[in-house]
Amino acid sequence: MYDVVIVGGRCAGSSLALLLAQANLKVLIVDRSNLPSDKINSTHLIWHAGAACLQRWGLLDRLLATGCPLQRRFLLDLGMFQLRSNVELRDCIVDGAVAPRRDVLDGLLLEEALAVGAELRDEAHVSDLLTENGRVTGVRIRTETGGSEDIPARVTIGADGINSTIAKLASATEASAQDKQQQTYFAYFSGVAFEEVEFYSRPGRMGFIWKTNHDQVVAGLCCRLADVDALRADTVSAFWAEMEAISPDLAARLKAGRQESEIRTGGTRSFIRQASGPGWALTGDAGMNMDPISAQGISNSFLQAEMLSDAIIRGFAEGNPDEALAAFGEKRNETLGPIYAFTSEMARLDPEPPAEIIQLFMGLAKSQTDTDAYFGVFAQTVPVAEFFAPENMGRIMALAEAE
C-alpha cells in the first residue's frame, strides 16, 4: 500500500513526488516512458514564480550549474517602440527566469525525488483505476509480460499531461475549454548574439528568443491558426520569412549562428478540468492546460505541486484527504484562473489590437514602474486582477496622453 501513486513522472509528477517524499509519505511514480527523456514540443521557459519554487526546494543552484543561466532582463518590441524590464518582484525570492531543456529539468526533479525516498515504475501503462465504494483506491498497470498488477494507494494523482489517462478513467469534467488558437514554431541555435529575453509583438504574430542549456538559445514564433497552412507547405522557408518579417535584426542574428535542431512545432487546446474526486486528483497540464503563448506551463505545475502536496499532507494528518483534495481544486482555480483567462485572451493574436491595448502600451512606455508590473503579470509576481483593474488601466492609459 502506497500513500500516493502519481501517474506521470515529468516536471508535474516528479515535483509533487519530491515534496511528498520529503514529508515521509510512501510515494510511487508510474510513467509509460523511460525516464528521464526530452520533451521536444516544450519551449521550457520557467518564470520567476516557478524559479522561486525551485529555490524553495533547494534545486535552483543545481539547475543553474547545468549551464542554464538565470535571465533577468526582458524586452517587448512592439514595432513602434520597445519596453524593457527587470520585472517587479514583490515577495518573489528569485529575480529571474530560467529555461532548461526538459531532459535536464525533469531528470533533476526525478533524481531528487528518488533520493528522498520516492519509487519509480517507468515503462508501465495504467489500464484502469481500482475502486471501492465509489472511491479510487489505486491503479492497475499492464506488466511487461502482458499481465496486470494492482497497486493500491490512499490517493491517486494524475500528472500525465493533457491526454491524461487518469482524467479519462475518473471521468473528470471540463470547464472553460477553448480550441487551439495558435501554432508555435521554434528551433535551437548556438553562437547567437543575445543579452535579454526578447518578445516581438506583431499583428497576428509573436516572436521570441531566450537562453537554454548547452550555450544555446531557443527562438521562434507564434502565429494564428488561420495562417498555418502557408507554414506547412514549406516550413523552413516560411519560418525564415516569418522571422525576417517579425524582426530583421533577430533573423540576422539567428542566421549568423548555427541552427542546432530542426524546426519544431506545437500547439494545444486549453481547458480547466475537475481537480479532484474521491481518492484522486489531477495536477499540472492534466488538470489545467493553458495555451503555451504565455509560457506558464512549468511554473503552473510547480505552483500546483506545492498546493497539492500541502493538501495531501494536511488531509492525511486530519483524516479527511478527500476534503483536502477538494480544497486544493478551489485554491488552484482561485490562484491560476486569472492567468488562464489572460493567456486565453493573449492567444487570440489579434491582427488589429484594440485601441485601448495600444493606448495601454503607449502609457507603459512612459512608466518604468508600470512596465515592470506588466512583466510581473507574466512572472506571476503581480496579480492579473490587480494590474488589469479598471482604475489601474485607466491611470496607465492616461499617461499616453500626458505631455
Side-chain angles (χ1 to χ4, degrees):
M1 168 69 75
Y2 287 91
D3 291 313
V4 183
V5 166
I6 301 171
V7 180
R10 292 189 178 276
C11 62
S14 289
S15 57
L16 178 61
L18 165 63
L19 297 176
L20 294 174
Q22 285 178 334
N24 296 316
L25 295 182
K26 186 173 176 61
V27 180
L28 175 66
I29 302 168
V30 176
D31 198 290
R32 66 176 58 197
S33 300
N34 185 357
L35 298 178
S37 60
D38 202 6
K39 188 174 182 181
I40 64 173
N41 61 347
S42 171
T43 53
H44 38 72
L45 183 66
I46 306 175
W47 287 99
H48 301 56
C53 292
L54 291 170
Q55 178 78 327
R56 285 191 288 272
W57 306 340
L59 296 179
L60 182 59
D61 287 344
R62 287 175 57 187
L63 181 62
L64 298 179
T66 67
C68 179
L70 197 65
Q71 299 169 82
R72 296 182 172 90
R73 291 286 296 169
F74 296 81
L75 163 72
L76 175 58
D77 186 307
L78 294 149
M80 298 178 292
F81 52 86
Q82 297 179 331
L83 302 175
R84 282 186 162 84
S85 174
N86 286 329
V87 178
E88 183 177 336
L89 296 177
R90 303 241 175 139
D91 297 327
C92 186
I93 59 176
V94 176
D95 65 344
V98 288
R101 293 292 292 262
R102 288 298 299 275
D103 55 345
V104 174
L105 174 67
D106 295 357
L108 176 61
L109 289 166
L110 181 60
E111 176 187 352
E112 187 64 16
L114 298 180
V116 295
E119 301 174 32
L120 172 67
R121 290 283 295 273
D122 56 0
E123 298 186 274
H125 295 250
V126 173
S127 59
D128 206 350
L129 294 175
L130 307 180
T131 61
E132 183 176 337
N133 298 323
R135 187 178 192 276
V136 173
T137 57
V139 297
R140 176 170 294 145
I141 64 171
R142 293 198 303 270
T143 63
E144 296 179 357
T145 60
S148 64
E149 178 183 347
D150 290 352
I151 303 177
R154 298 168 70 188
V155 167
T156 298
I157 303 297
D160 46 346
I162 61 175
N163 298 314
S164 170
T165 297
I166 301 304
K168 180 184 293 186
L169 293 173
S171 300
T173 58
E174 285 188 4
S176 304
Q178 292 185 330
D179 291 337
K180 182 169 69 170
Q181 299 190 83
Q182 61 87 17
Q183 192 79 4
T184 302
Y185 294 83
F186 65 97
Y188 296 93
F189 301 85
S190 60
V192 176
F194 180 92
E195 293 183 358
E196 55 197 350
V197 174
E198 301 171 17
F199 298 98
Y200 295 83
S201 180
R202 301 291 186 263
R205 299 289 188 273
M206 176 70 73
F208 59 87
I209 177 174
W210 48 71
K211 292 180 181 178
T212 185
N213 292 93
H214 316 311
D215 294 320
Q216 295 179 8
V217 299
V218 55
L221 69 128
C222 305
C223 72
R224 299 182 308 151
L225 285 185
D227 302 325
V228 164
D229 287 345
L231 281 96
R232 285 176 177 160
D234 184 352
T235 300
V236 174
S237 297
F239 175 84
W240 286 110
E242 289 281 353
M243 295 303 292
E244 181 75 26
I246 287 171
S247 172
D249 172 69
L250 175 58
R253 283 185 283 140
L254 294 176
K255 289 181 177 179
R258 174 185 174 88
Q259 187 172 334
E260 300 288 354
S261 74
E262 74 282 2
I263 296 169
R264 299 176 176 181
T265 185
T268 178
R269 69 187 187 94
S270 303
F271 55 79
I272 300 176
R273 283 195 181 118
Q274 175 185 351
S276 72
W280 63 271
L282 303 175
T283 190
D285 291 344
M288 178 180 284
N289 187 58
M290 299 186 192
D291 191 284
I293 196 166
S294 63
Q296 300 295 331
I298 300 175
S299 297
N300 287 344
S301 292
F302 290 170
L303 292 169
Q304 289 181 65
E306 292 190 332
M307 287 185 257
L308 183 51
S309 62
D310 287 346
I312 292 171
I313 294 166
R314 184 179 70 254
F316 285 165
E318 297 175 353
N320 57 359
D322 292 347
E323 291 181 17
L325 294 178
F328 153 72
E330 295 174 0
K331 185 173 182 179
R332 180 201 68 177
N333 293 345
E334 179 183 355
T335 303
L336 301 179
I339 196 73
Y340 177 92
F342 171 71
T343 297
S344 297
E345 189 70 21
M346 182 180 175
R348 293 170 50 184
L349 285 173
D350 291 325
E352 296 183 11
E356 60 267 23
I357 295 300
I358 295 175
Q359 189 173 2
L360 171 68
F361 284 130
M362 292 177 65
L364 291 177
K366 294 187 176 182
S367 171
Q368 187 63 56
T369 298
D370 290 313
T371 295
D372 292 344
Y374 176 71
F375 277 90
V377 170
F378 291 89
Q380 294 200 49
T381 60
V382 174
V384 174
E386 176 185 316
F387 182 85
F388 287 100
E391 59 273 19
N392 194 53
M393 290 276 286
R395 179 187 60 78
I396 297 172
M397 288 189 286
L399 297 175
E401 301 173 353
E403 292 296 332

